[in-house]
Every structure is written in structure tokens, then in C-alpha cells.
Amino acid sequence: MELQEKVGRPIDAVNGDSEPATKRVKLADDVSPAAQEGTPLRPRVKGVAPIKEEYLISAPGREPEADIPDDDAAEGRTAPDAQDGSHGPKKGGKQKRQKGQNKERHFGTFTDAVRLCNSVAWTPEFSPRSCWSGERCNALHDLRKYLKEGRRADVEVFGGKCPVWETHGRCSSGWRCLFVSSHMKEVEHEDGRKELVLVTRDDKASEAEEEAGDARPGVVNNIPSGTKIDLNRKKVAFEKSEQYLKWLAKDTELYKIHYHRQKDDVDEANDYRAQYIEPPFQPSEKRKVYFGRETPTLAPLTTQGNLPFRRLCVELGAQVTYSEMALGLPLLQGQKADWTLMRAHESEATPPRFNPGSVAEPSYDNSKDLKFGVQITAHAPWIAVKATEALTRFMPHLRIVDINCGCPIDMVFKSGAGSALLDAPSKLERMIRGMNAVSGEVPISAKIRMGVRDDKLTAQKLVERLALGSADMRDQTGAPGCAAITLHGRTRQQRYTKAADWSYIAECAALIKQYNSQKDSLTDTIREADARTLPSAGRTYFLGNGDCYSHIEYFEHMDKAKVDSVMIGRGAIVKPWIFEEIEKGQYLDKSASERLMYVEKFARYGMEAWGSDELGLNYTRRFLLEFLSFFNRYVPIGILEHLPPALNDRPKAYRGRNDLETLLASRDYKDWIKISEMFLGPAPKEFKFQPKHKSNSYEIEAEG
């Protein structure tokens, strides 16, 4: 029976296993499944997933397929934070500026055949609102005609019932919902007229919020459209940022004079130290944050780190999450695409797990902490400072603001942002200080790489500077106030071609512990005002990042590298339940039915986040396919000869323990589309999907 024919049946039935879906397999840390069964083990080959011979399709000597996934795109957007948009494609002799992310990829057009006017999109048939465009409106106002001709027929997945309505009792997509027949009815009035009306279980949300399209059930950090318009029209005043930037300009000029002075000018009255004036805004008492053994952290991931995926990871045990990387300048311009990235699910606005017995600042209050932080990037201090003020002013649910100093993407790097900041430590320090000055109670952190080039590792010096401040002005200006530093154990040059260097991460972690102890003496020796420049809880937390793919590796990094916590990126996309494994301290051999259940949850969460209309369903489909392009790399531990599994190991061609497991391991985009259709209905003919994999870097069109 085709898998599509099984939609609507219980997930266990799709799997075809005799074992229940909830069954787990606990394996000893140093014993493989084959060894437990008494089967002789073959030697482990580096870079090759050690699959048992009975599951291999190809001859034993055949090498894995030689494709190297382009994982850079998971870490950074492909557009610079520049004002002129000079890197965009040319059209008509001029540079056309493209908005949003992943600009070189196209996904087709997936909207209704005829647009329904917003004046009737959420109202009863006979009670439309007044149309702002009046007679000039080119959208459809005839509701029955729209339902018949303006859109495709309702989809039949989930039994034809709207998942959003079933969960929340209302659907924010209104008449555009592709499940609308499940939450509408025809009411006959006394005069004999029959009116179509939408059905809701409650009146929690106002129609105005639904019409704006910004309010979604269970979503926080919804920025009003009026605020974005004011930002775009430069009507938002950034008083703190402007005052601080004026001071920074003067201070920078004085520092240049000091830096370029002659030896004989040391004692001159214009010496920088003599003229130094405190900035107008010292960092206030920040909210205390905590990173520890019990707080595995989900890395900021462009495209993959969307709200539905983060929600799934939180459900599976992620204790700290970050938004996708947002560009600072578009935030200041009020661009909807970047502010949308700042939204979070209400589950991310809850406190992270905390063990009271942990070594933490006594004043840390876990009840005031929350999981969700945001990451931004910028090529200039004024952008980073103003973007931080905007974020902390308009976003009520925000744990931390992280500055990206590691994105390797060429266009970001060439603009002076991302990993380019690794070679501009003075600029980065000014960014951190300024962001701290305007962020109120929200702490500031940074994510860095080991360096730009393999032959010049700069992270150690940069970590010292972020923790204590520049050596020559430390006693004058104090620490920049960086609450946490995350080090990705690769250089920009390496991208993902080599394994993360955890020995180097360990060296930097040791230095951080030394610097934290030095801060105590700094607080005693420098002026009282400078003590306020120290970060939240008076210490800098240090996280390691790179290639963590099992609870074994997680705890090994904690114990050997001595980091405060581990940030997990690609490993979480391939295996979202890694956080559950860390919490339980054991391998979890998830059955194919359970893994398909996570796909179903992603589809449901996607419709809640982006809508259940044509646009929302295909946004969900697009990001689900992005997820599946990583999810298919998972090799079930039950068919491996050696443990622990390695993130960068590639399998030879193999078959799963059942048909569904084989399907989920497919690297064919057509199979990914089939899986998406199980929960989102048939892909429209106009929908296109372009994988990020280098071996599949051609545009493909879903078959109608």
C-alpha cells in the first residue's frame, strides 16, 4: 500500500512495526548493538557510518556517495548588511535589491488564483468591513465566488479538519483557510437569506488582530504593524543610542590621537587617559542568566532555526533557543521579514531547567529567566546599537541579544559583518559596549569562530578582550560586559570541511575561568562606576559549539573541555531528540513512526505559525523540506555497528528496518515532497524547491 493511502491512520500503523512506537533502546556507552548481539565487529572507517552488513544495499567495498552538503547556509544568511544593496542581481541596468533571506533560491509563487479582499477575509458574508481601496480595489469581494473559483479546493489531510482550529478554537486564516469547510456554516435568516459565517469556540482574539495577520495563537513578540511602519519612516527616536553614539564618536577621535601620539607626548595634557569621559549610559544591573550542564542550547540556525522547529526542540528538551540571525539594518528599517524572525512560541518564554545545586550566581532568579534569545549581525557599531535598542524596547520576551561574529558566508563577510568582526576586535568591543549601554536589563553575548584563517587563530585574544576589555584601556573603561561567549571550533576558512577543534575550545574555556577570577581584582582596583561594566552575575559564561551529536559527546565536552554548556546546531536538525537523550543520559532508538510523528508535529506547528491558507501551507512545506534535507541524514543507531554515531559520517546506500525507515532516509527530493504531502496535501504546480546540497543544486519543480 502506498504511504499516501495510509494518511489519517495512526502513526504506528504507518510504520508497520510489531513493536510499539514508544519503545526505547538503551545502549551502554561503549558497547555497540552488534557487540551486544555477539556479532564480530568490522573496523570503523573514519567518515563512513558503520552500518551493519545486512542493511547495506551496495557491495561491501563501495564508498559512500560523494556529496558534501553545503551546511554554511544553516549558519548565516546570504545577504550583506549593507545600505546600497550592491550585491543584488542586475535588472534593467540597475541593481535590484532583493528582500528576505536565501536570495539566490526561488520557491515559485504559491498564492490564491484570485486574492480575497481583507475587508471580507474574516467577517460573516453579509457583514464585511469597509474596503480601504473602495472602487479601486482589484481584490475579490464576493465570498462565494472566491470559495468556488478563487482558491483550490480544501485539502483532505487530517481528515479535512483544520489543525489550527482544532487546537485553538479559532483559525487566523479566516476564509482563506484550506480547511475552511471544517469551521464554517451556513445560517438561514428569517427573510430566507442564507449567510456563510465562520465558527469559533471563543472570542479570545479580536478580528482586527486577525486581519493584521500579525497575531498567531501561542506566539509572543508580535510587533505591531504600526511600529514597523514608524521604523521604516524613521519616526522612532533612539535617544539612548544617539547619545551614546555621539560620545563614541568623540571618544574614538580622542583614542586615535592617543594611539598615534609620539613618545614625547605621553605626559601632554591632551593624553587620552586624561581626557577620557565616562559614556552617558553605563550598563545597568542586568537580568541574571545561567548556562550549565542542564541547559543544552539550540544554536541560531538560519532557515532551519524557525519557530516551528524551535518549538519542536523545546518540546524535546532544548533549554535555550535563539532566533534565526537577523540583519541589523533591515530591523531598523522595519522590514517585516526580519521582525518576523523575532517571534517566539510561548513555550520559549518559560524558564529553562535549573538545578538549585548548580554552581551559579546566588542572585540568579530562575523564575525571571526564559529560554528565547535573538541573534543579530551588523557591519557597523551604530547599526548594532540601534538594533539592540529597538529589540529590547519592542520585544517583551527576550533573554539575551547575541551578536554574530562567526557567519562564514562570503556576502556577509565582505560587508564587514559576521566572521569579518574576528579581525576587527576594536570595532566588536565598541559594538558590545554600545549594545550593553542601551539594552536595559537584557544581557549581551557573542558567538565567534576560532579565526578567519587556519594559520591565524585569534579567538584566545578575542575572548580576553570580550571578557575584560582591551589591555591598554582596561583600567580606564572596564570590561565591555559580555555575558556569554560561544566559540564554534572552526575557522571561517574551514567552513565545515574539518571536524570542530574541541582542544582549542578547551584552551579558551580555561582562559575564561582565569579571566573570571581576574574580574574580582579588577572590581577592587578600578573605579566604582567601572564595576558596573561587568556582565550579568559578574562573570562571562563560555559555551562550545561544533559537531555535538550524542549525549556521550555532550557530557564529554562538558567534562573535558570544561565549558559551561554546549550549543548544538546541525546535530539538532538531524536528530532533534538529542536534547531528550542528554536529559535522560542514554541513546534513544527512535522508531520510524516516532520520527514521522515529529514531521507531523512540524507541519502542525508550521500551520499555526504561518497560517493554514495557501501561503501558509506552502511556507510550511518549504521549511519542512529544508528540515527533511537534514533529517534524512539520521542513521538509526539500531543498525549501527559502532557507537557513538558521528555527525559527519556518511552512510553507504542502505535499507531501513521497514519501508518507512527507508523512505525517511531517502536523499531524493521527490521523496521529501511525498512526505510533505502526507500532512500538507498535494504540492501546487507552481511550488518549487531548490535543495542546498551541492549535489542537488538545481531547481526542481513539484509535480502537480
Side-chain angles (χ1 to χ4, degrees):
M1 182 184 296
E2 292 293 330
L3 284 171
Q4 290 91 328
E5 297 175 6
K6 299 181 181 179
V7 176
R9 295 176 57 188
I11 295 296
D12 287 342
V14 179
N15 184 28
D17 288 340
S18 58
E19 298 175 344
T22 55
K23 181 176 180 179
R24 303 289 198 273
V25 176
K26 181 175 180 179
L27 303 171
D29 296 344
D30 57 349
V31 180
S32 71
Q36 289 182 330
E37 298 171 3
T39 305
L41 297 179
R42 293 172 295 162
R44 185 161 189 170
V45 180
K46 184 178 180 180
V48 179
I51 297 175
K52 296 177 183 177
E53 276 195 69
E54 60 263 35
Y55 295 102
L56 293 175
I57 296 175
S58 58
R62 181 180 171 184
E63 294 298 319
E65 296 182 39
D67 86 313
I68 301 176
D70 181 11
D71 287 347
D72 289 332
E75 187 172 338
R77 287 166 59 161
T78 55
D81 191 6
Q83 299 186 59
D84 57 5
S86 58
H87 297 288
K90 292 184 178 180
K91 183 176 182 181
K94 296 181 180 180
Q95 298 285 358
K96 183 180 179 182
R97 187 176 181 183
Q98 294 180 312
K99 297 181 180 180
Q101 60 190 16
N102 297 310
K103 298 175 174 56
E104 79 288 3
R105 304 173 70 207
H106 304 280
F107 300 91
T109 302
F110 31 88
T111 56
D112 291 331
V114 182
R115 185 172 68 88
L116 180 67
C117 182
N118 282 344
S119 64
V120 298
W122 293 276
T123 63
E125 182 181 8
F126 298 157
S127 307
R129 293 193 184 90
S130 59
C131 179
W132 290 0
S133 301
E135 295 180 356
R136 296 174 299 171
C137 184
N138 57 6
L140 195 62
H141 293 77
D142 186 332
L143 181 57
R144 292 182 185 267
K145 184 176 181 181
Y146 167 76
L147 294 175
K148 184 177 180 180
E149 303 174 7
R151 63 194 282 276
R152 60 173 169 148
D154 278 9
V155 293
E156 298 179 359
V157 294
F158 298 116
K161 296 182 179 180
C162 176
V164 181
W165 195 94
E166 290 289 312
T167 302
H168 300 281
R170 58 188 174 89
C171 176
S172 53
S173 296
W175 292 110
R176 298 188 180 108
C177 176
L178 287 177
F179 301 87
V180 71
S181 58
S182 67
H183 51 77
M184 61 171 279
K185 63 180 180 180
E186 190 174 51
V187 178
E188 185 172 356
H189 295 283
E190 294 180 356
D191 59 2
R193 294 186 306 163
K194 294 182 178 180
E195 181 182 25
L196 297 177
V197 297
L198 292 169
V199 178
T200 59
R201 287 204 301 261
D202 54 55
D203 298 322
K204 292 180 180 179
S206 68
E207 292 179 348
E209 288 178 322
E210 293 176 350
E211 182 176 347
D214 289 333
R216 298 288 182 186
V219 176
V220 299
N221 292 336
N222 291 296
I223 310 303
S225 298
T227 300
K228 299 170 194 171
I229 293 173
D230 289 342
L231 285 167
N232 184 261
R233 295 177 178 175
K234 299 184 179 179
K235 291 184 177 181
V236 176
F238 296 100
E239 295 91 351
K240 288 185 177 182
S241 295
E242 292 293 350
Q243 191 175 352
Y244 184 87
L245 291 168
K246 287 180 181 178
W247 170 86
L248 181 61
K250 182 179 179 180
D251 182 72
T252 302
E253 184 62 29
L254 290 173
Y255 185 77
K256 287 181 180 178
I257 296 173
H258 165 71
Y259 184 79
H260 294 291
R261 74 187 189 280
Q262 301 296 321
K263 291 183 178 180
D264 297 337
D265 297 335
V266 172
D267 297 325
E268 292 290 329
N270 65 349
D271 180 68
Y272 174 72
R273 294 177 186 272
Q275 296 194 33
Y276 175 78
I277 302 173
E278 286 187 0
F281 294 99
Q282 289 283 3
S284 59
E285 186 69 19
K286 301 288 181 182
R287 183 196 307 122
K288 303 298 188 296
V289 294
Y290 169 74
F291 290 94
R293 194 178 187 89
E294 67 272 38
T295 59
T297 300
L298 178 65
L301 296 163
T302 293
T303 305
Q304 271 78 17
N306 49 65
L307 187 151
F309 176 74
R310 297 196 313 268
R311 180 180 175 184
L312 177 62
C313 288
V314 168
E315 189 175 303
L316 290 170
Q319 296 303 307
V320 179
T321 62
Y322 286 89
S323 71
E324 301 176 56
M325 184 185 75
L327 303 180
L329 190 59
L331 286 173
L332 295 177
Q333 294 170 336
Q335 292 190 15
K336 182 178 179 180
D338 285 79
W339 279 103
T340 299
L341 300 180
M342 303 296 100
R343 295 177 183 173
H345 187 256
E346 58 188 5
S347 63
E348 298 177 273
T350 58
R353 187 167 53 240
F354 175 65
N355 179 6
S358 302
V359 179
E361 173 69 18
S363 59
Y364 170 71
D365 186 350
N366 180 253
S367 64
K368 294 182 179 180
D369 200 0
L370 64 160
K371 297 182 176 73
F372 180 69
V374 297
Q375 186 185 70
I376 64 172
T377 191
H379 71 278
W382 72 267
I383 295 176
V385 173
K386 287 190 175 183
T388 299
E389 184 176 353
L391 289 167
T392 54
R393 182 191 302 183
F394 300 126
M395 292 179 57
H397 301 91
L398 186 56
R399 179 185 213 244
I400 204 166
V401 177
D402 186 81
I403 182 74
N404 182 303
C405 315
C407 177
I409 300 300
D410 290 342
M411 296 181 73
V412 175
F413 177 79
K414 290 176 182 178
S415 75
S419 55
L421 294 173
L422 299 174
D423 284 343
S426 179
K427 180 201 288 189
L428 177 58
E429 184 180 350
R430 293 198 301 273
M431 284 184 176
I432 297 289
R433 290 184 184 279
M435 293 166 69
N436 250 316
V438 302
S439 67
E441 68 171 4
V442 180
I444 305 299
S445 64
K447 187 171 187 286
I448 65 176
R449 283 195 175 215
M450 297 194 302
V452 174
R453 299 184 301 276
D454 293 351
D455 59 354
K456 186 181 179 182
L457 304 184
T458 58
Q460 287 189 359
K461 290 184 178 179
L462 189 59
V463 164
E464 178 181 2
R465 188 158 189 161
L466 294 179
L468 298 177
S470 59
D472 55 343
M473 292 305 300
R474 189 173 299 161
D475 58 341
Q476 193 74 21
T477 61
C482 193
I485 301 171
T486 301
L487 175 59
H488 183 171
R490 292 183 176 89
T491 63
R492 175 184 183 265
Q493 182 180 348
Q494 288 173 353
R495 301 294 177 101
Y496 287 92
T497 58
K498 294 183 180 179
D501 189 346
W502 276 89
S503 62
Y504 186 83
I505 293 175
E507 293 176 18
C508 293
L511 290 176
I512 275 287
K513 294 186 182 301
Q514 178 184 344
Y515 300 151
N516 282 332
S517 63
Q518 290 180 22
K519 286 181 183 177
D520 295 333
S521 60
L522 279 176
T523 305
D524 295 334
T525 57
I526 61 180
R527 295 167 304 151
E528 182 180 354
D530 287 333
R532 290 179 293 156
T533 66
L534 297 176
S536 171
R539 61 171 291 182
T540 299
Y541 286 97
F542 188 75
L543 288 77
N545 170 229
D547 297 345
C548 184
Y549 191 50
S550 69
H551 68 287
I552 298 296
E553 291 175 325
Y554 178 87
F555 292 118
E556 183 179 77
H557 297 328
M558 293 290 301
D559 296 333
K560 293 184 178 180
K562 303 297 183 183
V563 293
D564 291 305
S565 189
V566 177
M567 181 177 282
I568 305 171
R570 293 176 301 152
I573 316 176
V574 177
K575 186 174 67 173
W577 58 92
I578 186 174
F579 301 104
E580 187 181 358
E581 290 187 341
I582 291 170
E583 181 181 356
K584 296 184 177 180
Q586 66 181 63
Y587 290 108
L588 299 176
D589 189 7
K590 297 285 185 175
S591 67
S593 61
E594 288 177 292
R595 292 166 58 203
L596 188 66
M597 180 181 65
Y598 297 144
V599 175
E600 178 186 351
K601 284 188 174 183
F602 186 101
R604 289 178 178 271
Y605 297 163
M607 283 185 275
E608 290 185 32
W610 297 308
S612 53
D613 56 356
E614 187 72 65
L615 190 64
L617 249 66
N618 286 293
Y619 266 124
T620 300
R621 190 188 310 278
R622 175 244 167 133
F623 289 109
L624 176 58
L625 293 174
E626 303 278 14
F627 175 38
L628 291 173
S629 71
F630 280 83
F631 199 57
N632 79 89
R633 299 187 203 175
Y634 173 72
V635 180
I637 61 171
I639 67 173
L640 291 176
E641 286 189 328
H642 299 274
L643 294 176
L647 179 60
N648 294 322
D649 280 357
R650 294 291 179 261
K652 300 179 181 181
Y654 73 95
R655 64 176 61 87
R657 292 168 291 189
N658 54 67
D659 291 342
L660 180 56
E661 193 166 80
T662 302
L663 176 66
L664 291 172
S666 173
R667 298 166 64 198
D668 187 341
Y669 73 90
K670 294 179 182 178
D671 287 330
W672 306 343
I673 292 175
K674 288 179 181 178
I675 293 172
S676 78
E677 290 178 334
M678 295 171 65
F679 305 110
L680 299 172
K685 295 180 179 180
E686 298 80 8
F687 179 81
K688 299 178 181 179
F689 179 67
Q690 184 178 4
K692 292 177 181 176
H693 291 205
K694 293 180 180 178
S695 61
N696 291 331
S697 58
Y698 47 85
E699 186 173 80
I700 54 181
E701 183 169 338
E703 298 176 357

